[in-house]
Amino acid sequence: MHASGTFDVKLAPQPAAPGTEAAQLGRLSIDKRFQGDLDATSLGEMLSAGTGVPGSAGYVAIERVSGSLHGRQGSFVLMHYGLMERGAPSLRVSVVPDSGTGELVGIKGELAIRIEQARHEYALEYELA
């Protein structure tokens, strides 16, 4: 199945975990609102790391999405794995296995994100067991 739409996201810097300051890691809270086939909100956290090479960085994030997907109520967890290698981005966002609740129990899938002119769009390819 395919779901698509837009989302708004607020990222807020959070204090580094004690003892990690020297690693120069960033930590952010995630607050999203999805519109379209996925009518939901999410809360999560992101960890990021830059490098000494311009355009190279990485991040991981996890967020719990709660709302409705094509009218089915429930929640699920998304896990992000993003890299930027000298300006070339790659991103994988997967539904965490067995994280679905309510009418979304058994959901599996991958979410693609596209950002154009500050507009955030998603495309979720998923299946329900």
Side-chain angles (χ1 to χ4, degrees):
M1 299 181 78
H2 177 79
S4 62
T6 61
F7 68 92
D8 301 304
V9 61
K10 294 178 188 171
L11 300 174
Q14 301 296 307
T20 65
E21 298 84 0
Q24 298 180 350
L25 303 177
R27 188 166 74 96
L28 302 154
S29 66
I30 302 169
D31 184 356
K32 283 186 186 168
R33 176 73 178 106
F34 294 90
Q35 300 91 25
D37 297 326
L38 177 59
D39 183 14
T41 58
S42 79
L43 295 173
E45 291 207 9
M46 174 190 297
L47 295 175
S48 64
T51 71
V53 175
S56 291
Y59 89 92
V60 293
I62 198 152
E63 61 181 303
R64 175 169 297 282
V65 179
S66 300
S68 70
L69 175 60
H70 285 129
R72 295 176 188 226
Q73 296 291 322
S75 68
F76 57 91
V77 175
L78 290 174
M79 186 168 159
H80 301 235
Y81 176 81
L83 292 173
M84 177 89 61
E85 186 174 351
R86 298 180 183 198
S90 66
L91 175 63
R92 182 170 184 187
V93 182
S94 303
V95 175
V96 172
D98 300 316
S99 66
T101 68
E103 295 175 302
L104 300 175
V105 167
I107 189 169
K108 297 178 183 181
E110 297 285 325
L111 183 119
I113 295 173
R114 188 173 80 175
I115 304 170
E116 286 189 14
Q117 298 176 349
R119 179 181 161 99
H120 292 77
E121 298 178 354
Y122 69 87
L124 175 62
E125 299 296 330
Y126 73 97
E127 60 184 73
L128 285 168

